[in-house]
Amino acid sequence: MSVLKGIIPPMITPLKGNDELDREGTVRLVEHIINGGVHALFLLGTTGEAQSLTYRLRYEFVELVCRQVNGRVPVLVGITDTCIDESIRLAEHAKANGAVGVVAAAPYYFAPSQQELIEYYTALADALPLPLYLYNMPSHVKVFLEPSTVKVLAEHPNIIGLKDSSANMNYFETLMYTLGDRDDFALYVGPEELTGECVLMGADGGINGGANMFPSLYVEMYDAAERHDIDRVRELQRIIMQISTTFYTVGKYGSSYLKGVKCALSLMGICDDYLAYPYRKFRHEERERIRKALEAVESKIK
Amino acid sequence: MSVLKGIIPPMITPLKGNDELDREGTVRLVEHIINGGVHALFLLGTTGEAQSLTYRLRYEFVELVCRQVNGRVPVLVGITDTCIDESIRLAEHAKANGAVGVVAAAPYYFAPSQQELIEYYTALADALPLPLYLYNMPSHVKVFLEPSTVKVLAEHPNIIGLKDSSANMNYFETLMYTLGDRDDFALYVGPEELTGECVLMGADGGINGGANMFPSLYVEMYDAAERHDIDRVRELQRIIMQISTTFYTVGKYGSSYLKGVKCALSLMGICDDYLAYPYRKFRHEERERIRKALEAVESKIK
Amino acid sequence: MSVLKGIIPPMITPLKGNDELDREGTVRLVEHIINGGVHALFLLGTTGEAQSLTYRLRYEFVELVCRQVNGRVPVLVGITDTCIDESIRLAEHAKANGAVGVVAAAPYYFAPSQQELIEYYTALADALPLPLYLYNMPSHVKVFLEPSTVKVLAEHPNIIGLKDSSANMNYFETLMYTLGDRDDFALYVGPEELTGECVLMGADGGINGGANMFPSLYVEMYDAAERHDIDRVRELQRIIMQISTTFYTVGKYGSSYLKGVKCALSLMGICDDYLAYPYRKFRHEERERIRKALEAVESKIK
Amino acid sequence: MSVLKGIIPPMITPLKGNDELDREGTVRLVEHIINGGVHALFLLGTTGEAQSLTYRLRYEFVELVCRQVNGRVPVLVGITDTCIDESIRLAEHAKANGAVGVVAAAPYYFAPSQQELIEYYTALADALPLPLYLYNMPSHVKVFLEPSTVKVLAEHPNIIGLKDSSANMNYFETLMYTLGDRDDFALYVGPEELTGECVLMGADGGINGGANMFPSLYVEMYDAAERHDIDRVRELQRIIMQISTTFYTVGKYGSSYLKGVKCALSLMGICDDYLAYPYRKFRHEERERIRKALEAVESKIK
């Protein structure tokens, strides 16, 4: 079986309130992203604020998006949780609605040892009704999925890939060296700033938050890297870095990235920019800075 | 209103399986702890593995414990969550069952800024049906509740205390200096190794995991410190440190503490030692080491 | 042999420029501190900015201070270095000038493993002409001296004590439990906010930076704790915490503590407040804040 | 002025003892590396164990290497220190011996703020007799040189480049976006695992420790990336990753990399593998593992 390749946007979750979905915004966002030519969708990741949402809302969101996508692209669903039973239950809901895979970072309250991670992921993959992608996210879950741990887990028939959001390229190169030759195990990079070089070096794609706003830009980057067009990769990289350094750096928040994406989507008329607690959306002055950053990027993308 | 003072054991959650409560064990454990003379009970904290449990089981546990306690001591319930709505919902359940307060660490997937923590806790305390205790737990939630943040939050009429599990005594001394004089704001220390000195210096009590096993030992320590009996404090400290260095250091796990407590309670015949994922209980050789540590301590406590 | 007990101020190094000692200020500071009744002096620690100084100046400082002290109190010298040969060379100079012991944190560029620390400290202690105190300073050197490592090293005949500046009281209580009964191994606490409670619990003394400014205050605290006078300990603790929360918190620097101490000593007319690179001294507005903090404390100490 | 481009090996420092240079080994190593076609040499970096060496030995090493190189390639000298005066003094020695530039990470005992880093590096660059390369090494010095800090410092006429050893590619891409267009400011990557992709994306070269052993391999990688030959880059990457995952992962040390390089050079008959304290060289079993790893790589390189 060959792996899913390309750009898989980690969808934001459009909200009207802390427990109220922006349903119209969700529909518009799905259409906006799919029109950009992306290869799949990933719901309820970090960018999707999954952990800040009630299960009720998460279930509603999976249902709504899957219905709207209606099979046009594969859908992956984040099931990261501190409670293994809740992960499994959400995966069953995802499967019932047509998702093709699930994604799970490590449990993030306790910090498990590597041996405990192996036992945890094995038990999880055994119980899941859908194939599992590992998700390395040390800044949020406090532990790395060490290469030796990934190597063991990659032998499990129901574990079929990994997304790395560490930005530590030594780590990702080690995974590509160890597992990159396998046609049945996918390696995706999280930070969009790295998609160009990772695909050049052999990665299968990018799970890039900026693709909520500019899906075709990241698809173009993926294509340029796939055909080894370095000049084009560098041109596109300048735009992606412009987004990175202007959209994601407003305010002194660890949350600047997420606030920037939601604010820009609101300015683009796609969906509400409400953020669930503990985050709050950008206000006047910050919103103006995003507006200017948006205009500057749109003038380059056309 | 004067604050709750004394030893408030953070109860472990007796389990038979990942989503199955050990109901008989829970009843025995409640009786064991209350017979030790403790001043209150705290459910669903870190020691209670709350994050690893389904909400269903958490709700069942609150109900069962509150019914068994039946008003003999006040009950506090941990509502730490990444989703504010789930925290509120659990607090309502706690109130309905007779709990008198709730305890919340910071949301632990995203790492909020201090300003975001102020907004988050304010919104939470506004919505809660019970008074709130803050819970400083930086090793697990990645952020400190800075003294200046606590000072702001302590003005909220529904925020009435703080438990510190950082083991950073500069931090705790700063809180005691800033807030220690207030009769309506409680300061508790988490690590039992520090209860003696903290109470000597003016803290209101200890939320100490070892009190699951030896409740009267920690109550004695509290009493000795309250009456400024340094010689007795030092004697008791030696036993508490013996527990700390023998029960909580088996294996190379961050989870050694939790595994040690549950293993000892199983050896004492009180409840099952099943641990929810991502942790697994001690096996043969480790269990033998706990058995010996237990015998050594019991011979001293008699 | 019984250990050195009491308050051992970690002297700041009075400077006129980056490689120029304030010799008159040094003489005044030595007299000021000794007049406060301290039990020993510690030169070239973190508070002494040792790492920021040329060896030439460090040697000059040791010579000047030892001559001025002239045997009135024991002198300890910090030899912390990344190069073991330079540590040994400085220790020889210290001995030649009459120092009675040396103090060494772990090498702080590379982060050695616990096994490497054991080998390093063993080689160092073997080669030193004076007894060695270990110095646990994880915030600056990146590694902890684990209790099991300290236990091994404490068997070395030339290693006679440890100063802990971690502020992690679980760690220090573990050391006191493991090594506190030994009459020939001293345990000192670094952060002055903790001297009261540590001495109550059995520590041998405090190496407290505030004793540069108010030596008798910390000596009083030591004495009160030694005689188990809790009421007096709490009174003194309020003044010490007032110093901690007003002198050491000006500006958003990791260096606020050091800048505050030097600024206050300059305001007291004792010595220059020049700081060696990479730090710079407080300017106008910050200096005014220290002036007010100083007046407030002086009015209480009289 | 155009910048220095290509592979600049960070030379290990061949030692016979803790304060004794392996002079014959040094001569052989210089010849071995220059014969590999490298573009410059970098002495006394992290790989050179600079911090573990006496100044005396550092000075001797600079003199010996510069004489042996004799102008065939440019020589850069590491002057990283906690004391700014010692950095300047070593730079003067470097210049006197013919070095063309110096390299400095942040002072590494105290952790300066970004503003303090700007003041420190400005003062340093003002005083230096040679142009300065910044060195971002957060794992060892505890602070990042933030992009906004680097941008300010890059305006200084005597600061002409930066080496990044963070392995955080978001950071390095941000620097390339911000400063990559400048012909007078060089950006080098430290970890050899990343040289291929960094040069593809526009970096000026690699300061790669593996080039001590296999200089021509890294030169080939640089050339392949420069001419956009992705297929060759990927082939070479597999060998480089084989080195990374077999030479640098023996033992559970943070020092495995350094021990692996020195051990391999000893097995190749080039120089002694003594390591200065706090590190110790590999012994029997570990040395055998390096021998096998070496044979496996040599069979591929021919």
Side-chain angles (χ1 to χ4, degrees), chain A residues 264-276:
Chain A
L265 288 168
S266 159
L267 288 164
M268 294 163 83
I270 292 174
C271 61
D272 202 298
D273 59 348
Y274 186 93
L275 280 106

mmCIF file with all atom_site columns, all heavy atoms in Angstrom, chain A residues 264-276:
data_model
loop_
_atom_site.group_PDB
_atom_site.id
_atom_site.type_symbol
_atom_site.label_atom_id
_atom_site.label_alt_id
_atom_site.label_comp_id
_atom_site.label_asym_id
_atom_site.label_entity_id
_atom_site.label_seq_id
_atom_site.pdbx_PDB_ins_code
_atom_site.Cartn_x
_atom_site.Cartn_y
_atom_site.Cartn_z
_atom_site.occupancy
_atom_site.B_iso_or_equiv
_atom_site.pdbx_formal_charge
_atom_site.auth_seq_id
_atom_site.auth_comp_id
_atom_site.auth_asym_id
_atom_site.auth_atom_id
_atom_site.pdbx_PDB_model_num
ATOM 1  N N   . ALA A 1 264 ? -6.666  35.973 10.507 1.00 0.00 ? 264 ALA A N   1
ATOM 2  C CA  . ALA A 1 264 ? -6.586  36.148 9.051  1.00 0.00 ? 264 ALA A CA  1
ATOM 3  C C   . ALA A 1 264 ? -7.803  35.534 8.359  1.00 0.00 ? 264 ALA A C   1
ATOM 4  O O   . ALA A 1 264 ? -8.368  36.120 7.420  1.00 0.00 ? 264 ALA A O   1
ATOM 5  C CB  . ALA A 1 264 ? -5.297  35.520 8.521  1.00 0.00 ? 264 ALA A CB  1
ATOM 6  N N   . LEU A 1 265 ? -8.236  34.361 8.815  1.00 0.00 ? 265 LEU A N   1
ATOM 7  C CA  . LEU A 1 265 ? -9.409  33.724 8.200  1.00 0.00 ? 265 LEU A CA  1
ATOM 8  C C   . LEU A 1 265 ? -10.654 34.572 8.419  1.00 0.00 ? 265 LEU A C   1
ATOM 9  O O   . LEU A 1 265 ? -11.540 34.625 7.556  1.00 0.00 ? 265 LEU A O   1
ATOM 10 C CB  . LEU A 1 265 ? -9.613  32.317 8.767  1.00 0.00 ? 265 LEU A CB  1
ATOM 11 C CG  . LEU A 1 265 ? -8.581  31.289 8.287  1.00 0.00 ? 265 LEU A CG  1
ATOM 12 C CD1 . LEU A 1 265 ? -8.678  30.017 9.110  1.00 0.00 ? 265 LEU A CD1 1
ATOM 13 C CD2 . LEU A 1 265 ? -8.776  30.976 6.794  1.00 0.00 ? 265 LEU A CD2 1
ATOM 14 N N   . SER A 1 266 ? -10.727 35.233 9.551  1.00 0.00 ? 266 SER A N   1
ATOM 15 C CA  . SER A 1 266 ? -11.844 36.142 9.800  1.00 0.00 ? 266 SER A CA  1
ATOM 16 C C   . SER A 1 266 ? -11.781 37.344 8.855  1.00 0.00 ? 266 SER A C   1
ATOM 17 O O   . SER A 1 266 ? -12.784 37.739 8.254  1.00 0.00 ? 266 SER A O   1
ATOM 18 C CB  . SER A 1 266 ? -11.807 36.590 11.268 1.00 0.00 ? 266 SER A CB  1
ATOM 19 O OG  . SER A 1 266 ? -12.522 37.779 11.448 1.00 0.00 ? 266 SER A OG  1
ATOM 20 N N   . LEU A 1 267 ? -10.574 37.887 8.695  1.00 0.00 ? 267 LEU A N   1
ATOM 21 C CA  . LEU A 1 267 ? -10.405 39.029 7.783  1.00 0.00 ? 267 LEU A CA  1
ATOM 22 C C   . LEU A 1 267 ? -10.714 38.637 6.334  1.00 0.00 ? 267 LEU A C   1
ATOM 23 O O   . LEU A 1 267 ? -11.165 39.461 5.545  1.00 0.00 ? 267 LEU A O   1
ATOM 24 C CB  . LEU A 1 267 ? -8.968  39.557 7.878  1.00 0.00 ? 267 LEU A CB  1
ATOM 25 C CG  . LEU A 1 267 ? -8.623  40.307 9.174  1.00 0.00 ? 267 LEU A CG  1
ATOM 26 C CD1 . LEU A 1 267 ? -7.113  40.434 9.344  1.00 0.00 ? 267 LEU A CD1 1
ATOM 27 C CD2 . LEU A 1 267 ? -9.282  41.678 9.209  1.00 0.00 ? 267 LEU A CD2 1
ATOM 28 N N   . MET A 1 268 ? -10.471 37.379 6.003  1.00 0.00 ? 268 MET A N   1
ATOM 29 C CA  . MET A 1 268 ? -10.759 36.894 4.651  1.00 0.00 ? 268 MET A CA  1
ATOM 30 C C   . MET A 1 268 ? -12.248 36.576 4.474  1.00 0.00 ? 268 MET A C   1
ATOM 31 O O   . MET A 1 268 ? -12.669 36.163 3.393  1.00 0.00 ? 268 MET A O   1
ATOM 32 C CB  . MET A 1 268 ? -9.931  35.632 4.366  1.00 0.00 ? 268 MET A CB  1
ATOM 33 C CG  . MET A 1 268 ? -8.414  35.888 4.312  1.00 0.00 ? 268 MET A CG  1
ATOM 34 S SD  . MET A 1 268 ? -7.424  34.356 4.474  1.00 0.00 ? 268 MET A SD  1
ATOM 35 C CE  . MET A 1 268 ? -7.474  33.770 2.762  1.00 0.00 ? 268 MET A CE  1
ATOM 36 N N   . GLY A 1 269 ? -13.019 36.726 5.532  1.00 0.00 ? 269 GLY A N   1
ATOM 37 C CA  . GLY A 1 269 ? -14.452 36.481 5.428  1.00 0.00 ? 269 GLY A CA  1
ATOM 38 C C   . GLY A 1 269 ? -14.845 35.025 5.429  1.00 0.00 ? 269 GLY A C   1
ATOM 39 O O   . GLY A 1 269 ? -15.963 34.668 5.047  1.00 0.00 ? 269 GLY A O   1
ATOM 40 N N   . ILE A 1 270 ? -13.937 34.170 5.901  1.00 0.00 ? 270 ILE A N   1
ATOM 41 C CA  . ILE A 1 270 ? -14.222 32.735 5.840  1.00 0.00 ? 270 ILE A CA  1
ATOM 42 C C   . ILE A 1 270 ? -14.912 32.239 7.108  1.00 0.00 ? 270 ILE A C   1
ATOM 43 O O   . ILE A 1 270 ? -15.901 31.504 7.026  1.00 0.00 ? 270 ILE A O   1
ATOM 44 C CB  . ILE A 1 270 ? -12.922 31.950 5.565  1.00 0.00 ? 270 ILE A CB  1
ATOM 45 C CG1 . ILE A 1 270 ? -12.460 32.265 4.136  1.00 0.00 ? 270 ILE A CG1 1
ATOM 46 C CG2 . ILE A 1 270 ? -13.140 30.453 5.746  1.00 0.00 ? 270 ILE A CG2 1
ATOM 47 C CD1 . ILE A 1 270 ? -11.122 31.691 3.756  1.00 0.00 ? 270 ILE A CD1 1
ATOM 48 N N   . CYS A 1 271 ? -14.434 32.626 8.255  1.00 0.00 ? 271 CYS A N   1
ATOM 49 C CA  . CYS A 1 271 ? -15.071 32.136 9.485  1.00 0.00 ? 271 CYS A CA  1
ATOM 50 C C   . CYS A 1 271 ? -14.764 33.048 10.662 1.00 0.00 ? 271 CYS A C   1
ATOM 51 O O   . CYS A 1 271 ? -13.915 33.942 10.575 1.00 0.00 ? 271 CYS A O   1
ATOM 52 C CB  . CYS A 1 271 ? -14.652 30.697 9.788  1.00 0.00 ? 271 CYS A CB  1
ATOM 53 S SG  . CYS A 1 271 ? -12.881 30.491 10.037 1.00 0.00 ? 271 CYS A SG  1
ATOM 54 N N   . ASP A 1 272 ? -15.445 32.813 11.747 1.00 0.00 ? 272 ASP A N   1
ATOM 55 C CA  . ASP A 1 272 ? -15.278 33.557 12.988 1.00 0.00 ? 272 ASP A CA  1
ATOM 56 C C   . ASP A 1 272 ? -13.874 33.305 13.563 1.00 0.00 ? 272 ASP A C   1
ATOM 57 O O   . ASP A 1 272 ? -13.278 32.262 13.319 1.00 0.00 ? 272 ASP A O   1
ATOM 58 C CB  . ASP A 1 272 ? -16.343 33.075 13.989 1.00 0.00 ? 272 ASP A CB  1
ATOM 59 C CG  . ASP A 1 272 ? -16.606 34.105 15.065 1.00 0.00 ? 272 ASP A CG  1
ATOM 60 O OD1 . ASP A 1 272 ? -15.668 34.433 15.825 1.00 0.00 ? 272 ASP A OD1 1
ATOM 61 O OD2 . ASP A 1 272 ? -17.744 34.601 15.152 1.00 0.00 ? 272 ASP A OD2 1
ATOM 62 N N   . ASP A 1 273 ? -13.366 34.281 14.334 1.00 0.00 ? 273 ASP A N   1
ATOM 63 C CA  . ASP A 1 273 ? -12.030 34.113 14.911 1.00 0.00 ? 273 ASP A CA  1
ATOM 64 C C   . ASP A 1 273 ? -12.066 33.866 16.418 1.00 0.00 ? 273 ASP A C   1
ATOM 65 O O   . ASP A 1 273 ? -11.052 34.037 17.101 1.00 0.00 ? 273 ASP A O   1
ATOM 66 C CB  . ASP A 1 273 ? -11.143 35.318 14.600 1.00 0.00 ? 273 ASP A CB  1
ATOM 67 C CG  . ASP A 1 273 ? -11.720 36.620 15.131 1.00 0.00 ? 273 ASP A CG  1
ATOM 68 O OD1 . ASP A 1 273 ? -12.908 36.630 15.528 1.00 0.00 ? 273 ASP A OD1 1
ATOM 69 O OD2 . ASP A 1 273 ? -10.996 37.627 15.139 1.00 0.00 ? 273 ASP A OD2 1
ATOM 70 N N   . TYR A 1 274 ? -13.205 33.441 16.922 1.00 0.00 ? 274 TYR A N   1
ATOM 71 C CA  . TYR A 1 274 ? -13.275 33.106 18.343 1.00 0.00 ? 274 TYR A CA  1
ATOM 72 C C   . TYR A 1 274 ? -12.257 32.011 18.655 1.00 0.00 ? 274 TYR A C   1
ATOM 73 O O   . TYR A 1 274 ? -12.141 31.035 17.917 1.00 0.00 ? 274 TYR A O   1
ATOM 74 C CB  . TYR A 1 274 ? -14.692 32.627 18.710 1.00 0.00 ? 274 TYR A CB  1
ATOM 75 C CG  . TYR A 1 274 ? -14.854 32.404 20.192 1.00 0.00 ? 274 TYR A CG  1
ATOM 76 C CD1 . TYR A 1 274 ? -15.328 33.414 21.022 1.00 0.00 ? 274 TYR A CD1 1
ATOM 77 C CD2 . TYR A 1 274 ? -14.506 31.185 20.777 1.00 0.00 ? 274 TYR A CD2 1
ATOM 78 C CE1 . TYR A 1 274 ? -15.462 33.218 22.402 1.00 0.00 ? 274 TYR A CE1 1
ATOM 79 C CE2 . TYR A 1 274 ? -14.623 30.984 22.142 1.00 0.00 ? 274 TYR A CE2 1
ATOM 80 C CZ  . TYR A 1 274 ? -15.101 32.008 22.951 1.00 0.00 ? 274 TYR A CZ  1
ATOM 81 O OH  . TYR A 1 274 ? -15.214 31.808 24.305 1.00 0.00 ? 274 TYR A OH  1
ATOM 82 N N   . LEU A 1 275 ? -11.539 32.172 19.785 1.00 0.00 ? 275 LEU A N   1
ATOM 83 C CA  . LEU A 1 275 ? -10.650 31.104 20.263 1.00 0.00 ? 275 LEU A CA  1
ATOM 84 C C   . LEU A 1 275 ? -11.177 30.585 21.594 1.00 0.00 ? 275 LEU A C   1
ATOM 85 O O   . LEU A 1 275 ? -11.622 31.351 22.445 1.00 0.00 ? 275 LEU A O   1
ATOM 86 C CB  . LEU A 1 275 ? -9.230  31.613 20.475 1.00 0.00 ? 275 LEU A CB  1
ATOM 87 C CG  . LEU A 1 275 ? -8.380  31.730 19.205 1.00 0.00 ? 275 LEU A CG  1
ATOM 88 C CD1 . LEU A 1 275 ? -8.213  33.168 18.799 1.00 0.00 ? 275 LEU A CD1 1
ATOM 89 C CD2 . LEU A 1 275 ? -7.031  31.058 19.392 1.00 0.00 ? 275 LEU A CD2 1
ATOM 90 N N   . ALA A 1 276 ? -11.098 29.276 21.738 1.00 0.00 ? 276 ALA A N   1
ATOM 91 C CA  . ALA A 1 276 ? -11.532 28.674 22.996 1.00 0.00 ? 276 ALA A CA  1
ATOM 92 C C   . ALA A 1 276 ? -10.534 29.015 24.102 1.00 0.00 ? 276 ALA A C   1
ATOM 93 O O   . ALA A 1 276 ? -9.355  29.245 23.850 1.00 0.00 ? 276 ALA A O   1
ATOM 94 C CB  . ALA A 1 276 ? -11.642 27.151 22.841 1.00 0.00 ? 276 ALA A CB  1
#
